[in-house]
Amino acid sequence: MVVIAILTALIVPYIIGSIPSGYLIVKYTKGIDVRTVGSGNIGATNVQRVLGMKGFLWVLFLDALKGYIPVIVVNMLFGAKYPGVVMIAAASAVLGHTFTMFLNFKGGKGIATSLGVFLALAPASVMTDLVVFSVTFYFFRYISLGSILCSFLLPIFIFIYGEGGFYNLVLLLAAVLAVFIIYKHKANIKRLIEGTESRLEFKPAPGKEEKK
């Protein structure tokens, strides 16, 4: 049984996480490969450059769902007996998004999918993190800065709220993913230091003019 649980937690969340939401939505609506635009990333921030805030929000939602659903389902099936398997499912979903099998193992940076994962595992900590993100974004308009800061703070909030159940495996997972996500943002960190990082502005998708 444990072998089935581990294989399920490894394979199914990885496949679900691999679904390249941003790439598919931009390709379907605009016929554009989002990897040829802006940063070349398939995540919500880069999608916003093509589809505006509506596209940003849709991709954010779908990418978060890729983390939330596998964790909830695996937890329901195996969590009571094999809590470690839930952490495997969570990590596998994030890795699926960042190394998607459908795009030559090149994907996003894992922020939105991690958001979904920890909404399932540590909701109070995520809600607090979202407040921090909102305040950071309001003052600086850098998605990357908010993402990096929240990745760093999430394990701290999990520790404070005591949401590191499953023998503190949730806390350990949050710490590992924080290091991974911050590493994936190394180019953004460099641009932030140099003052060349792009700010996200609320504006309509290119080609659409606001009605007066």
Side-chain angles (χ1 to χ4, degrees):
M1 184 65 177
V2 66
V3 174
I4 294 174
I6 292 172
L7 288 176
T8 301
L10 277 171
I11 297 170
V12 177
Y14 176 80
I15 293 172
I16 293 173
S18 283
I19 299 171
S21 309
Y23 172 84
L24 293 173
I25 289 175
V26 174
K27 195 72 173 177
Y28 177 76
T29 57
K30 292 288 187 178
I32 298 172
D33 185 340
V34 73
R35 295 173 297 175
T36 66
V37 176
S39 67
N41 195 270
I42 65 169
T45 303
N46 202 39
V47 168
Q48 190 270 345
R49 295 184 172 100
V50 182
L51 299 180
M53 287 307 299
K54 185 176 180 181
F56 173 87
L57 292 173
W58 267 111
V59 173
L60 179 66
F61 172 73
L62 291 173
D63 283 350
L65 212 58
K66 295 189 307 185
Y68 183 82
I69 290 177
V71 169
I72 289 293
V73 173
V74 170
N75 189 33
M76 288 173 57
L77 293 174
F78 308 112
K81 194 170 184 180
Y82 308 115
V85 167
V86 181
M87 303 304 109
I88 293 173
S92 189
V94 175
L95 290 175
H97 176 72
T98 52
F99 302 106
T100 169
M101 61 189 289
F102 300 113
L103 297 175
N104 298 318
F105 301 99
K106 294 181 181 179
K109 295 179 180 176
I111 290 294
T113 305
S114 293
L115 171 66
V117 161
F118 287 105
L119 271 175
L121 295 174
S125 300
V126 169
M127 290 298 108
T128 307
D129 232 15
L130 287 175
V131 172
V132 173
F133 179 88
S134 299
V135 172
T136 304
F137 179 74
Y138 177 81
F139 284 105
F140 299 102
R141 288 293 191 269
Y142 291 122
I143 289 286
S144 57
L145 178 61
S147 299
I148 292 164
L149 181 60
C150 288
S151 297
F152 174 77
L153 290 176
L154 183 62
I156 297 173
F157 291 141
I158 289 173
F159 177 77
I160 291 172
Y161 286 120
E163 290 185 302
F166 299 121
Y167 310 102
N168 286 322
L169 290 176
V170 176
L171 178 59
L172 177 61
L173 177 69
V176 171
L177 286 181
V179 173
F180 176 71
I181 289 171
I182 292 171
Y183 172 77
K184 292 288 287 184
H185 280 80
K186 60 184 183 298
N188 302 87
I189 294 171
K190 181 180 178 182
R191 289 194 296 270
L192 285 166
I193 293 171
E194 294 172 348
T196 58
E197 179 73 331
S198 298
R199 287 182 167 90
L200 181 67
E201 301 295 341
F202 294 97
K203 55 186 178 182
K208 288 187 177 181
E209 293 183 2
E210 301 221 25
K211 295 181 180 180
K212 295 183 179 181

mmCIF file with all atom_site columns, all heavy atoms in Angstrom, residues 131-154:
data_model
loop_
_atom_site.group_PDB
_atom_site.id
_atom_site.type_symbol
_atom_site.label_atom_id
_atom_site.label_alt_id
_atom_site.label_comp_id
_atom_site.label_asym_id
_atom_site.label_entity_id
_atom_site.label_seq_id
_atom_site.pdbx_PDB_ins_code
_atom_site.Cartn_x
_atom_site.Cartn_y
_atom_site.Cartn_z
_atom_site.occupancy
_atom_site.B_iso_or_equiv
_atom_site.pdbx_formal_charge
_atom_site.auth_seq_id
_atom_site.auth_comp_id
_atom_site.auth_asym_id
_atom_site.auth_atom_id
_atom_site.pdbx_PDB_model_num
ATOM 1   N N   . VAL A 1 131 ? -1.340 39.121 2.929  1.00 0.00 ? 131 VAL A N   1
ATOM 2   C CA  . VAL A 1 131 ? -1.399 40.509 3.429  1.00 0.00 ? 131 VAL A CA  1
ATOM 3   C C   . VAL A 1 131 ? -0.046 41.179 3.231  1.00 0.00 ? 131 VAL A C   1
ATOM 4   O O   . VAL A 1 131 ? 0.037  42.318 2.759  1.00 0.00 ? 131 VAL A O   1
ATOM 5   C CB  . VAL A 1 131 ? -1.802 40.536 4.921  1.00 0.00 ? 131 VAL A CB  1
ATOM 6   C CG1 . VAL A 1 131 ? -1.668 41.957 5.473  1.00 0.00 ? 131 VAL A CG1 1
ATOM 7   C CG2 . VAL A 1 131 ? -3.230 40.029 5.096  1.00 0.00 ? 131 VAL A CG2 1
ATOM 8   N N   . VAL A 1 132 ? 1.013  40.460 3.583  1.00 0.00 ? 132 VAL A N   1
ATOM 9   C CA  . VAL A 1 132 ? 2.373  40.988 3.382  1.00 0.00 ? 132 VAL A CA  1
ATOM 10  C C   . VAL A 1 132 ? 2.616  41.269 1.910  1.00 0.00 ? 132 VAL A C   1
ATOM 11  O O   . VAL A 1 132 ? 3.151  42.325 1.535  1.00 0.00 ? 132 VAL A O   1
ATOM 12  C CB  . VAL A 1 132 ? 3.428  39.993 3.909  1.00 0.00 ? 132 VAL A CB  1
ATOM 13  C CG1 . VAL A 1 132 ? 4.839  40.459 3.546  1.00 0.00 ? 132 VAL A CG1 1
ATOM 14  C CG2 . VAL A 1 132 ? 3.302  39.832 5.422  1.00 0.00 ? 132 VAL A CG2 1
ATOM 15  N N   . PHE A 1 133 ? 2.211  40.329 1.062  1.00 0.00 ? 133 PHE A N   1
ATOM 16  C CA  . PHE A 1 133 ? 2.395  40.513 -0.379 1.00 0.00 ? 133 PHE A CA  1
ATOM 17  C C   . PHE A 1 133 ? 1.647  41.749 -0.868 1.00 0.00 ? 133 PHE A C   1
ATOM 18  O O   . PHE A 1 133 ? 2.180  42.551 -1.649 1.00 0.00 ? 133 PHE A O   1
ATOM 19  C CB  . PHE A 1 133 ? 1.904  39.281 -1.142 1.00 0.00 ? 133 PHE A CB  1
ATOM 20  C CG  . PHE A 1 133 ? 2.046  39.408 -2.631 1.00 0.00 ? 133 PHE A CG  1
ATOM 21  C CD1 . PHE A 1 133 ? 3.223  39.039 -3.252 1.00 0.00 ? 133 PHE A CD1 1
ATOM 22  C CD2 . PHE A 1 133 ? 1.013  39.924 -3.406 1.00 0.00 ? 133 PHE A CD2 1
ATOM 23  C CE1 . PHE A 1 133 ? 3.375  39.181 -4.624 1.00 0.00 ? 133 PHE A CE1 1
ATOM 24  C CE2 . PHE A 1 133 ? 1.146  40.067 -4.775 1.00 0.00 ? 133 PHE A CE2 1
ATOM 25  C CZ  . PHE A 1 133 ? 2.336  39.692 -5.384 1.00 0.00 ? 133 PHE A CZ  1
ATOM 26  N N   . SER A 1 134 ? 0.402  41.906 -0.428 1.00 0.00 ? 134 SER A N   1
ATOM 27  C CA  . SER A 1 134 ? -0.421 43.037 -0.872 1.00 0.00 ? 134 SER A CA  1
ATOM 28  C C   . SER A 1 134 ? 0.202  44.371 -0.485 1.00 0.00 ? 134 SER A C   1
ATOM 29  O O   . SER A 1 134 ? 0.240  45.309 -1.284 1.00 0.00 ? 134 SER A O   1
ATOM 30  C CB  . SER A 1 134 ? -1.834 42.921 -0.285 1.00 0.00 ? 134 SER A CB  1
ATOM 31  O OG  . SER A 1 134 ? -2.459 41.732 -0.713 1.00 0.00 ? 134 SER A OG  1
ATOM 32  N N   . VAL A 1 135 ? 0.687  44.447 0.743  1.00 0.00 ? 135 VAL A N   1
ATOM 33  C CA  . VAL A 1 135 ? 1.314  45.693 1.206  1.00 0.00 ? 135 VAL A CA  1
ATOM 34  C C   . VAL A 1 135 ? 2.596  45.966 0.415  1.00 0.00 ? 135 VAL A C   1
ATOM 35  O O   . VAL A 1 135 ? 2.844  47.097 -0.032 1.00 0.00 ? 135 VAL A O   1
ATOM 36  C CB  . VAL A 1 135 ? 1.626  45.612 2.720  1.00 0.00 ? 135 VAL A CB  1
ATOM 37  C CG1 . VAL A 1 135 ? 2.460  46.816 3.160  1.00 0.00 ? 135 VAL A CG1 1
ATOM 38  C CG2 . VAL A 1 135 ? 0.330  45.529 3.515  1.00 0.00 ? 135 VAL A CG2 1
ATOM 39  N N   . THR A 1 136 ? 3.407  44.932 0.229  1.00 0.00 ? 136 THR A N   1
ATOM 40  C CA  . THR A 1 136 ? 4.656  45.084 -0.527 1.00 0.00 ? 136 THR A CA  1
ATOM 41  C C   . THR A 1 136 ? 4.383  45.518 -1.955 1.00 0.00 ? 136 THR A C   1
ATOM 42  O O   . THR A 1 136 ? 5.025  46.436 -2.483 1.00 0.00 ? 136 THR A O   1
ATOM 43  C CB  . THR A 1 136 ? 5.444  43.751 -0.538 1.00 0.00 ? 136 THR A CB  1
ATOM 44  O OG1 . THR A 1 136 ? 5.679  43.328 0.807  1.00 0.00 ? 136 THR A OG1 1
ATOM 45  C CG2 . THR A 1 136 ? 6.781  43.922 -1.246 1.00 0.00 ? 136 THR A CG2 1
ATOM 46  N N   . PHE A 1 137 ? 3.405  44.879 -2.587 1.00 0.00 ? 137 PHE A N   1
ATOM 47  C CA  . PHE A 1 137 ? 3.087  45.215 -3.971 1.00 0.00 ? 137 PHE A CA  1
ATOM 48  C C   . PHE A 1 137 ? 2.501  46.620 -4.072 1.00 0.00 ? 137 PHE A C   1
ATOM 49  O O   . PHE A 1 137 ? 2.793  47.363 -5.024 1.00 0.00 ? 137 PHE A O   1
ATOM 50  C CB  . PHE A 1 137 ? 2.106  44.200 -4.550 1.00 0.00 ? 137 PHE A CB  1
ATOM 51  C CG  . PHE A 1 137 ? 1.726  44.503 -5.973 1.00 0.00 ? 137 PHE A CG  1
ATOM 52  C CD1 . PHE A 1 137 ? 2.622  44.272 -7.002 1.00 0.00 ? 137 PHE A CD1 1
ATOM 53  C CD2 . PHE A 1 137 ? 0.485  45.031 -6.283 1.00 0.00 ? 137 PHE A CD2 1
ATOM 54  C CE1 . PHE A 1 137 ? 2.297  44.572 -8.315 1.00 0.00 ? 137 PHE A CE1 1
ATOM 55  C CE2 . PHE A 1 137 ? 0.140  45.329 -7.577 1.00 0.00 ? 137 PHE A CE2 1
ATOM 56  C CZ  . PHE A 1 137 ? 1.048  45.094 -8.599 1.00 0.00 ? 137 PHE A CZ  1
ATOM 57  N N   . TYR A 1 138 ? 1.681  47.013 -3.107 1.00 0.00 ? 138 TYR A N   1
ATOM 58  C CA  . TYR A 1 138 ? 1.064  48.342 -3.128 1.00 0.00 ? 138 TYR A CA  1
ATOM 59  C C   . TYR A 1 138 ? 2.127  49.442 -3.140 1.00 0.00 ? 138 TYR A C   1
ATOM 60  O O   . TYR A 1 138 ? 2.012  50.429 -3.882 1.00 0.00 ? 138 TYR A O   1
ATOM 61  C CB  . TYR A 1 138 ? 0.156  48.511 -1.908 1.00 0.00 ? 138 TYR A CB  1
ATOM 62  C CG  . TYR A 1 138 ? -0.473 49.888 -1.806 1.00 0.00 ? 138 TYR A CG  1
ATOM 63  C CD1 . TYR A 1 138 ? -1.601 50.207 -2.558 1.00 0.00 ? 138 TYR A CD1 1
ATOM 64  C CD2 . TYR A 1 138 ? 0.070  50.858 -0.967 1.00 0.00 ? 138 TYR A CD2 1
ATOM 65  C CE1 . TYR A 1 138 ? -2.158 51.470 -2.472 1.00 0.00 ? 138 TYR A CE1 1
ATOM 66  C CE2 . TYR A 1 138 ? -0.488 52.117 -0.872 1.00 0.00 ? 138 TYR A CE2 1
ATOM 67  C CZ  . TYR A 1 138 ? -1.610 52.417 -1.636 1.00 0.00 ? 138 TYR A CZ  1
ATOM 68  O OH  . TYR A 1 138 ? -2.165 53.683 -1.557 1.00 0.00 ? 138 TYR A OH  1
ATOM 69  N N   . PHE A 1 139 ? 3.172  49.263 -2.353 1.00 0.00 ? 139 PHE A N   1
ATOM 70  C CA  . PHE A 1 139 ? 4.197  50.304 -2.248 1.00 0.00 ? 139 PHE A CA  1
ATOM 71  C C   . PHE A 1 139 ? 5.264  50.223 -3.332 1.00 0.00 ? 139 PHE A C   1
ATOM 72  O O   . PHE A 1 139 ? 5.805  51.252 -3.754 1.00 0.00 ? 139 PHE A O   1
ATOM 73  C CB  . PHE A 1 139 ? 4.867  50.244 -0.870 1.00 0.00 ? 139 PHE A CB  1
ATOM 74  C CG  . PHE A 1 139 ? 4.024  50.812 0.235  1.00 0.00 ? 139 PHE A CG  1
ATOM 75  C CD1 . PHE A 1 139 ? 3.391  49.974 1.142  1.00 0.00 ? 139 PHE A CD1 1
ATOM 76  C CD2 . PHE A 1 139 ? 3.845  52.183 0.349  1.00 0.00 ? 139 PHE A CD2 1
ATOM 77  C CE1 . PHE A 1 139 ? 2.598  50.505 2.159  1.00 0.00 ? 139 PHE A CE1 1
ATOM 78  C CE2 . PHE A 1 139 ? 3.059  52.730 1.363  1.00 0.00 ? 139 PHE A CE2 1
ATOM 79  C CZ  . PHE A 1 139 ? 2.432  51.882 2.263  1.00 0.00 ? 139 PHE A CZ  1
ATOM 80  N N   . PHE A 1 140 ? 5.573  49.017 -3.810 1.00 0.00 ? 140 PHE A N   1
ATOM 81  C CA  . PHE A 1 140 ? 6.710  48.869 -4.724 1.00 0.00 ? 140 PHE A CA  1
ATOM 82  C C   . PHE A 1 140 ? 6.343  48.410 -6.136 1.00 0.00 ? 140 PHE A C   1
ATOM 83  O O   . PHE A 1 140 ? 7.127  48.605 -7.066 1.00 0.00 ? 140 PHE A O   1
ATOM 84  C CB  . PHE A 1 140 ? 7.741  47.897 -4.130 1.00 0.00 ? 140 PHE A CB  1
ATOM 85  C CG  . PHE A 1 140 ? 8.300  48.352 -2.821 1.00 0.00 ? 140 PHE A CG  1
ATOM 86  C CD1 . PHE A 1 140 ? 7.864  47.800 -1.625 1.00 0.00 ? 140 PHE A CD1 1
ATOM 87  C CD2 . PHE A 1 140 ? 9.275  49.348 -2.776 1.00 0.00 ? 140 PHE A CD2 1
ATOM 88  C CE1 . PHE A 1 140 ? 8.380  48.215 -0.406 1.00 0.00 ? 140 PHE A CE1 1
ATOM 89  C CE2 . PHE A 1 140 ? 9.804  49.771 -1.563 1.00 0.00 ? 140 PHE A CE2 1
ATOM 90  C CZ  . PHE A 1 140 ? 9.355  49.210 -0.373 1.00 0.00 ? 140 PHE A CZ  1
ATOM 91  N N   . ARG A 1 141 ? 5.182  47.745 -6.301 1.00 0.00 ? 141 ARG A N   1
ATOM 92  C CA  . ARG A 1 141 ? 4.723  47.267 -7.609 1.00 0.00 ? 141 ARG A CA  1
ATOM 93  C C   . ARG A 1 141 ? 5.628  46.196 -8.227 1.00 0.00 ? 141 ARG A C   1
ATOM 94  O O   . ARG A 1 141 ? 5.649  46.016 -9.433 1.00 0.00 ? 141 ARG A O   1
ATOM 95  C CB  . ARG A 1 141 ? 4.569  48.435 -8.594 1.00 0.00 ? 141 ARG A CB  1
ATOM 96  C CG  . ARG A 1 141 ? 3.397  49.342 -8.328 1.00 0.00 ? 141 ARG A CG  1
ATOM 97  C CD  . ARG A 1 141 ? 2.066  48.602 -8.560 1.00 0.00 ? 141 ARG A CD  1
ATOM 98  N NE  . ARG A 1 141 ? 0.930  49.513 -8.560 1.00 0.00 ? 141 ARG A NE  1
ATOM 99  C CZ  . ARG A 1 141 ? 0.222  49.844 -7.498 1.00 0.00 ? 141 ARG A CZ  1
ATOM 100 N NH1 . ARG A 1 141 ? 0.554  49.348 -6.325 1.00 0.00 ? 141 ARG A NH1 1
ATOM 101 N NH2 . ARG A 1 141 ? -0.816 50.643 -7.580 1.00 0.00 ? 141 ARG A NH2 1
ATOM 102 N N   . TYR A 1 142 ? 6.380  45.500 -7.391 1.00 0.00 ? 142 TYR A N   1
ATOM 103 C CA  . TYR A 1 142 ? 7.215  44.405 -7.887 1.00 0.00 ? 142 TYR A CA  1
ATOM 104 C C   . TYR A 1 142 ? 6.607  43.074 -7.446 1.00 0.00 ? 142 TYR A C   1
ATOM 105 O O   . TYR A 1 142 ? 6.608  42.748 -6.262 1.00 0.00 ? 142 TYR A O   1
ATOM 106 C CB  . TYR A 1 142 ? 8.638  44.492 -7.332 1.00 0.00 ? 142 TYR A CB  1
ATOM 107 C CG  . TYR A 1 142 ? 9.471  45.634 -7.835 1.00 0.00 ? 142 TYR A CG  1
ATOM 108 C CD1 . TYR A 1 142 ? 10.019 46.556 -6.944 1.00 0.00 ? 142 TYR A CD1 1
ATOM 109 C CD2 . TYR A 1 142 ? 9.736  45.780 -9.193 1.00 0.00 ? 142 TYR A CD2 1
ATOM 110 C CE1 . TYR A 1 142 ? 10.807 47.608 -7.390 1.00 0.00 ? 142 TYR A CE1 1
ATOM 111 C CE2 . TYR A 1 142 ? 10.525 46.828 -9.653 1.00 0.00 ? 142 TYR A CE2 1
ATOM 112 C CZ  . TYR A 1 142 ? 11.058 47.738 -8.750 1.00 0.00 ? 142 TYR A CZ  1
ATOM 113 O OH  . TYR A 1 142 ? 11.835 48.769 -9.205 1.00 0.00 ? 142 TYR A OH  1
ATOM 114 N N   . ILE A 1 143 ? 6.115  42.285 -8.401 1.00 0.00 ? 143 ILE A N   1
ATOM 115 C CA  . ILE A 1 143 ? 5.618  40.949 -8.084 1.00 0.00 ? 143 ILE A CA  1
ATOM 116 C C   . ILE A 1 143 ? 6.742  40.084 -7.535 1.00 0.00 ? 143 ILE A C   1
ATOM 117 O O   . ILE A 1 143 ? 6.576  39.334 -6.571 1.00 0.00 ? 143 ILE A O   1
ATOM 118 C CB  . ILE A 1 143 ? 5.025  40.287 -9.342 1.00 0.00 ? 143 ILE A CB  1
ATOM 119 C CG1 . ILE A 1 143 ? 3.705  40.962 -9.734 1.00 0.00 ? 143 ILE A CG1 1
ATOM 120 C CG2 . ILE A 1 143 ? 4.807  38.788 -9.112 1.00 0.00 ? 143 ILE A CG2 1
ATOM 121 C CD1 . ILE A 1 143 ? 2.541  40.626 -8.854 1.00 0.00 ? 143 ILE A CD1 1
ATOM 122 N N   . SER A 1 144 ? 7.916  40.197 -8.139 1.00 0.00 ? 144 SER A N   1
ATOM 123 C CA  . SER A 1 144 ? 9.056  39.368 -7.728 1.00 0.00 ? 144 SER A CA  1
ATOM 124 C C   . SER A 1 144 ? 9.454  39.649 -6.281 1.00 0.00 ? 144 SER A C   1
ATOM 125 O O   . SER A 1 144 ? 9.738  38.720 -5.517 1.00 0.00 ? 144 SER A O   1
ATOM 126 C CB  . SER A 1 144 ? 10.242 39.595 -8.657 1.00 0.00 ? 144 SER A CB  1
ATOM 127 O OG  . SER A 1 144 ? 10.620 40.962 -8.686 1.00 0.00 ? 144 SER A OG  1
ATOM 128 N N   . LEU A 1 145 ? 9.490  40.917 -5.898 1.00 0.00 ? 145 LEU A N   1
ATOM 129 C CA  . LEU A 1 145 ? 9.862  41.276 -4.534 1.00 0.00 ? 145 LEU A CA  1
ATOM 130 C C   . LEU A 1 145 ? 8.876  40.688 -3.536 1.00 0.00 ? 145 LEU A C   1
ATOM 131 O O   . LEU A 1 145 ? 9.275  40.105 -2.512 1.00 0.00 ? 145 LEU A O   1
ATOM 132 C CB  . LEU A 1 145 ? 9.930  42.795 -4.386 1.00 0.00 ? 145 LEU A CB  1
ATOM 133 C CG  . LEU A 1 145 ? 10.279 43.320 -2.978 1.00 0.00 ? 145 LEU A CG  1
ATOM 134 C CD1 . LEU A 1 145 ? 11.654 42.839 -2.553 1.00 0.00 ? 145 LEU A CD1 1
ATOM 135 C CD2 . LEU A 1 145 ? 10.202 44.851 -2.949 1.00 0.00 ? 145 LEU A CD2 1
ATOM 136 N N   . GLY A 1 146 ? 7.582  40.828 -3.830 1.00 0.00 ? 146 GLY A N   1
ATOM 137 C CA  . GLY A 1 146 ? 6.562  40.262 -2.956 1.00 0.00 ? 146 GLY A CA  1
ATOM 138 C C   . GLY A 1 146 ? 6.676  38.752 -2.859 1.00 0.00 ? 146 GLY A C   1
ATOM 139 O O   . GLY A 1 146 ? 6.533  38.168 -1.779 1.00 0.00 ? 146 GLY A O   1
ATOM 140 N N   . SER A 1 147 ? 6.953  38.106 -3.986 1.00 0.00 ? 147 SER A N   1
ATOM 141 C CA  . SER A 1 147 ? 7.073  36.644 -4.021 1.00 0.00 ? 147 SER A CA  1
ATOM 142 C C   . SER A 1 147 ? 8.263  36.161 -3.201 1.00 0.00 ? 147 SER A C   1
ATOM 143 O O   . SER A 1 147 ? 8.164  35.184 -2.450 1.00 0.00 ? 147 SER A O   1
ATOM 144 C CB  . SER A 1 147 ? 7.215  36.168 -5.468 1.00 0.00 ? 147 SER A CB  1
ATOM 145 O OG  . SER A 1 147 ? 6.085  36.534 -6.239 1.00 0.00 ? 147 SER A OG  1
ATOM 146 N N   . ILE A 1 148 ? 9.392  36.829 -3.358 1.00 0.00 ? 148 ILE A N   1
ATOM 147 C CA  . ILE A 1 148 ? 10.596 36.455 -2.625 1.00 0.00 ? 148 ILE A CA  1
ATOM 148 C C   . ILE A 1 148 ? 10.394 36.648 -1.118 1.00 0.00 ? 148 ILE A C   1
ATOM 149 O O   . ILE A 1 148 ? 10.722 35.769 -0.309 1.00 0.00 ? 148 ILE A O   1
ATOM 150 C CB  . ILE A 1 148 ? 11.799 37.289 -3.112 1.00 0.00 ? 148 ILE A CB  1
ATOM 151 C CG1 . ILE A 1 148 ? 12.150 36.900 -4.553 1.00 0.00 ? 148 ILE A CG1 1
ATOM 152 C CG2 . ILE A 1 148 ? 13.007 37.104 -2.204 1.00 0.00 ? 148 ILE A CG2 1
ATOM 153 C CD1 . ILE A 1 148 ? 13.040 37.905 -5.259 1.00 0.00 ? 148 ILE A CD1 1
ATOM 154 N N   . LEU A 1 149 ? 9.838  37.801 -0.751 1.00 0.00 ? 149 LEU A N   1
ATOM 155 C CA  . LEU A 1 149 ? 9.614  38.099 0.663  1.00 0.00 ? 149 LEU A CA  1
ATOM 156 C C   . LEU A 1 149 ? 8.646  37.098 1.294  1.00 0.00 ? 149 LEU A C   1
ATOM 157 O O   . LEU A 1 149 ? 8.895  36.581 2.391  1.00 0.00 ? 149 LEU A O   1
ATOM 158 C CB  . LEU A 1 149 ? 9.069  39.523 0.811  1.00 0.00 ? 149 LEU A CB  1
ATOM 159 C CG  . LEU A 1 149 ? 8.796  40.015 2.232  1.00 0.00 ? 149 LEU A CG  1
ATOM 160 C CD1 . LEU A 1 149 ? 10.075 40.000 3.062  1.00 0.00 ? 149 LEU A CD1 1
ATOM 161 C CD2 . LEU A 1 149 ? 8.190  41.413 2.210  1.00 0.00 ? 149 LEU A CD2 1
ATOM 162 N N   . CYS A 1 150 ? 7.561  36.790 0.580  1.00 0.00 ? 150 CYS A N   1
ATOM 163 C CA  . CYS A 1 150 ? 6.565  35.871 1.122  1.00 0.00 ? 150 CYS A CA  1
ATOM 164 C C   . CYS A 1 150 ? 7.100  34.443 1.206  1.00 0.00 ? 150 CYS A C   1
ATOM 165 O O   . CYS A 1 150 ? 6.747  33.705 2.126  1.00 0.00 ? 150 CYS A O   1
ATOM 166 C CB  . CYS A 1 150 ? 5.296  35.922 0.272  1.00 0.00 ? 150 CYS A CB  1
ATOM 167 S SG  . CYS A 1 150 ? 4.373  37.456 0.504  1.00 0.00 ? 150 CYS A SG  1
ATOM 168 N N   . SER A 1 151 ? 7.931  34.052 0.254  1.00 0.00 ? 151 SER A N   1
ATOM 169 C CA  . SER A 1 151 ? 8.549  32.723 0.321  1.00 0.00 ? 151 SER A CA  1
ATOM 170 C C   . SER A 1 151 ? 9.419  32.601 1.564  1.00 0.00 ? 151 SER A C   1
ATOM 171 O O   . SER A 1 151 ? 9.418  31.572 2.249  1.00 0.00 ? 151 SER A O   1
ATOM 172 C CB  . SER A 1 151 ? 9.395  32.475 -0.930 1.00 0.00 ? 151 SER A CB  1
ATOM 173 O OG  . SER A 1 151 ? 8.595  32.477 -2.096 1.00 0.00 ? 151 SER A OG  1
ATOM 174 N N   . PHE A 1 152 ? 10.147 33.664 1.856  1.00 0.00 ? 152 PHE A N   1
ATOM 175 C CA  . PHE A 1 152 ? 11.014 33.681 3.034  1.00 0.00 ? 152 PHE A CA  1
ATOM 176 C C   . PHE A 1 152 ? 10.199 33.658 4.335  1.00 0.00 ? 152 PHE A C   1
ATOM 177 O O   . PHE A 1 152 ? 10.562 32.969 5.304  1.00 0.00 ? 152 PHE A O   1
ATOM 178 C CB  . PHE A 1 152 ? 11.901 34.932 2.994  1.00 0.00 ? 152 PHE A CB  1
ATOM 179 C CG  . PHE A 1 152 ? 12.727 35.133 4.232  1.00 0.00 ? 152 PHE A CG  1
ATOM 180 C CD1 . PHE A 1 152 ? 13.871 34.378 4.449  1.00 0.00 ? 152 PHE A CD1 1
ATOM 181 C CD2 . PHE A 1 152 ? 12.348 36.070 5.186  1.00 0.00 ? 152 PHE A CD2 1
ATOM 182 C CE1 . PHE A 1 152 ? 14.628 34.554 5.604  1.00 0.00 ? 152 PHE A CE1 1
ATOM 183 C CE2 . PHE A 1 152 ? 13.103 36.260 6.333  1.00 0.00 ? 152 PHE A CE2 1
ATOM 184 C CZ  . PHE A 1 152 ? 14.249 35.497 6.547  1.00 0.00 ? 152 PHE A CZ  1
ATOM 185 N N   . LEU A 1 153 ? 9.080  34.400 4.358  1.00 0.00 ? 153 LEU A N   1
ATOM 186 C CA  . LEU A 1 153 ? 8.305  34.543 5.586  1.00 0.00 ? 153 LEU A CA  1
ATOM 187 C C   . LEU A 1 153 ? 7.369  33.377 5.864  1.00 0.00 ? 153 LEU A C   1
ATOM 188 O O   . LEU A 1 153 ? 7.012  33.143 7.033  1.00 0.00 ? 153 LEU A O   1
ATOM 189 C CB  . LEU A 1 153 ? 7.477  35.837 5.528  1.00 0.00 ? 153 LEU A CB  1
ATOM 190 C CG  . LEU A 1 153 ? 8.265  37.147 5.620  1.00 0.00 ? 153 LEU A CG  1
ATOM 191 C CD1 . LEU A 1 153 ? 7.323  38.333 5.437  1.00 0.00 ? 153 LEU A CD1 1
ATOM 192 C CD2 . LEU A 1 153 ? 8.984  37.254 6.957  1.00 0.00 ? 153 LEU A CD2 1
ATOM 193 N N   . LEU A 1 154 ? 6.964  32.643 4.824  1.00 0.00 ? 154 LEU A N   1
ATOM 194 C CA  . LEU A 1 154 ? 5.965  31.592 5.041  1.00 0.00 ? 154 LEU A CA  1
ATOM 195 C C   . LEU A 1 154 ? 6.387  30.573 6.101  1.00 0.00 ? 154 LEU A C   1
ATOM 196 O O   . LEU A 1 154 ? 5.570  30.248 6.983  1.00 0.00 ? 154 LEU A O   1
ATOM 197 C CB  . LEU A 1 154 ? 5.632  30.894 3.722  1.00 0.00 ? 154 LEU A CB  1
ATOM 198 C CG  . LEU A 1 154 ? 4.542  29.823 3.818  1.00 0.00 ? 154 LEU A CG  1
ATOM 199 C CD1 . LEU A 1 154 ? 3.221  30.438 4.275  1.00 0.00 ? 154 LEU A CD1 1
ATOM 200 C CD2 . LEU A 1 154 ? 4.361  29.101 2.487  1.00 0.00 ? 154 LEU A CD2 1
#
